[in-house]
Amino acid sequence: MSNEPLSVARNSAVLTLTLNRPDQRNAIDGAMYAALANALDEAAEDDAVRVVALTGAGRHFSAGVDLVRLREMLNAPKEESLAHARLAAGVLHRLAMFPKPTVAAVQGGAYGGGMGLVLACDVVLAARDARFSAAEVRLGLFPGLVAPLFAAVAGRRTAGRYLLTGDPFDAVEAQHLGVVHDLVEADGLAAALDACTARIASGGPAAVAATKRLLWDERYRLAADWDLDWLAEEVVRHRATAEAAEGVQAFLEKRTPRWE
């Protein structure tokens, strides 16, 4: 395995980003954050990439932020510390708002910033023995990067129960909270990831991308003052695409769509 903090592999339409510091339980340092930022930027511009998978090398997904490096930040000049925090926050925001679907596969532990990466993904698969925690307060730290994502997934009060205590929780509880979608046996995690990413990649590229945007656009949020005209126009605009015509025709002809 290479010495790069992030391993990047491409298989057809799926780009797999693997946190690659297994000897440090994939603790996230500045180099790993920078590598993630660069890889996501390149994937966003590559039309051939339809899905991004996020995994961790070795026994654990990620132990979170590298505390050895973080200790250096405690006494670093303010601008240096700010740059590090902005980089980390930017990666989590970029991943959450990424224009293409993202799928995380979690084994072992996903702690702190590692759990933040998981929370930023659209779909999460986990081994049944996986463990999670956001225990920054136990270290006297402020979980400002993880808390908004956790609250968005589990709700403010539910997230607060774990953020304020720092208590860990297992994969079953993670699924109950909405942090994890599917639980699988540890030895079946890779196969489950392949099946999930292939299923997503089989959808219409534009339709999948539009659906991802839908989930974050406030105009789509169900409300009394829903903008029905705008929503109807969006539906009709997508109906008029060649992709929609091909998808419907393929279904009626009982064949696999041939996406452009």
Side-chain angles (χ1 to χ4, degrees):
M1 187 170 289
S2 74
N3 293 322
E4 296 297 322
L6 186 73
S7 174
V8 181
R10 171 82 174 278
N11 182 12
S12 187
V14 180
L15 184 73
T16 300
L17 306 180
T18 301
L19 309 181
N20 191 33
R21 301 182 72 206
D23 292 342
Q24 292 79 33
R25 297 192 301 167
N26 296 319
I28 311 168
D29 61 2
M32 185 180 284
Y33 274 129
L36 280 167
N38 291 335
L40 290 172
D41 285 345
E42 291 178 5
E45 298 300 322
D46 188 346
D47 291 340
V49 174
R50 301 273 305 285
V51 185
V52 171
L54 185 62
T55 66
R59 295 178 55 199
H60 297 277
F61 179 80
S62 175
V65 173
D66 188 325
L67 292 180
V68 174
R69 298 292 183 267
L70 183 61
R71 183 174 57 186
E72 296 173 359
M73 288 294 104
L74 299 181
N75 298 310
K78 182 178 178 180
E79 285 305 315
E80 182 180 347
S81 188
L82 277 173
H84 179 273
R86 287 192 187 106
L87 175 62
V91 167
L92 291 176
H93 184 266
R94 180 67 162 139
L95 187 59
M97 305 298 291
F98 198 66
K100 303 172 185 182
T102 55
V103 183
V106 181
Q107 82 284 5
Y111 306 134
M115 193 174 86
L117 293 175
V118 171
L119 290 165
C121 289
D122 297 310
V123 180
V124 179
L125 315 177
R128 294 186 185 278
D129 59 356
R131 300 279 292 176
F132 302 81
S133 78
E136 283 85 345
V137 296
R138 310 300 299 176
L139 303 174
L141 299 172
F142 168 58
L145 305 184
V146 176
L149 292 165
F150 202 178
V153 168
R156 183 183 62 81
R157 293 189 72 242
T158 300
R161 181 258 179 270
Y162 290 99
L163 290 166
L164 295 172
T165 64
D167 287 346
F169 50 95
D170 61 18
V172 173
E173 178 67 3
Q175 186 179 43
H176 175 72
L177 297 174
V179 173
V180 168
H181 297 99
D182 296 335
L183 299 181
V184 299
E185 299 302 327
D187 59 2
L189 187 59
L193 177 62
D194 288 344
C196 181
T197 53
R199 181 66 172 168
I200 294 172
S202 70
V208 169
T211 300
K212 174 70 184 280
R213 289 195 301 273
L214 175 153
L215 297 172
W216 289 99
D217 195 318
E218 289 295 325
R219 290 173 294 184
Y220 282 104
R221 190 180 298 277
L222 185 61
D225 58 348
W226 214 5
D227 190 341
L228 298 180
D229 290 337
W230 177 83
L231 183 59
E233 288 174 2
E234 283 293 289
V235 171
V236 170
R237 182 172 68 83
H238 284 282
R239 283 179 183 169
T241 63
E243 181 175 291
E246 168 61 14
V248 172
Q249 190 64 27
F251 178 82
L252 294 175
E253 294 177 359
K254 296 180 173 58
R255 60 174 173 82
T256 300
R258 295 184 288 269
W259 306 122
E260 294 294 333

